[in-house]
Amino acid sequence: MSQPSARAAELAVSAQADAFLTEPQIATLTTLRPDGSPHVAPVRFTWDGEAGLARVMTVASSRKARNLLASPGSRAVLCQVSDFTWVTLEGTATVVDDPARVHDGARRYAKRYWSGPPNPPGRVVIEIVVDRVVSLNV
């Protein structure tokens, strides 16, 4: 196993929060529309604590991907909630269509959710470089 990156160490994600983020649950992803209003969508995602990277599988034509493509370098927020426990991951998001990275995102998704994600034309992965973690009861 590789050593945690400096970025992951800076995030100070507790072992409990890290474990919570690997449970096969749904989260909300918030991005900003071009007019500045928030777009919130339920998503499945994966968390790579060593890299400080969250990934969301989607298609380039989705509202969430279009929001990010319209504003390169913009931020996104993922929030996973279960009862009175939650973890929020915030960071800079990028829509990636590189086949190797999309494949890696799909592989990680299949491992977390026990089945592969849909594979429609135009599939991409949103990668969020997490720089802020907020949590409660973990």
Side-chain angles (χ1 to χ4, degrees), residues 2-128:
S2 63
Q3 294 295 319
S5 69
R7 170 174 294 291
E10 292 171 9
L11 290 174
V13 178
S14 71
Q16 295 86 355
D18 199 62
F20 178 72
L21 291 168
T22 62
E23 295 174 5
Q25 300 201 26
I26 303 296
T28 58
L29 173 67
T30 303
T31 58
L32 295 178
R33 294 181 182 96
D35 70 3
S37 64
H39 170 72
V40 182
V43 296
R44 289 181 168 187
F45 75 100
T46 60
W47 167 241
D48 180 350
E50 289 186 2
L53 190 66
R55 295 174 178 88
V56 176
M57 302 302 301
T58 191
V59 293
S61 62
S62 70
R63 176 79 268 167
K64 56 190 158 285
R66 290 186 326 211
N67 289 343
L68 296 169
L69 289 167
S71 183
S74 61
R75 297 183 61 78
V77 179
L78 277 166
C79 185
Q80 179 175 299
V81 179
S82 179
D83 295 322
F84 293 108
T85 299
W86 55 266
V87 175
T88 297
L89 305 172
E90 300 179 26
T92 304
T94 306
V95 177
V96 178
D97 62 2
D98 173 69
R101 288 163 64 185
V102 172
H103 176 76
D104 185 47
R107 179 187 62 78
R108 291 169 184 273
Y109 177 107
K111 182 177 179 183
R112 180 175 182 184
Y113 294 105
W114 307 311
S115 66
N119 190 13
R123 184 165 75 167
V124 295
V125 61
I126 295 172
E127 294 180 342
I128 303 168

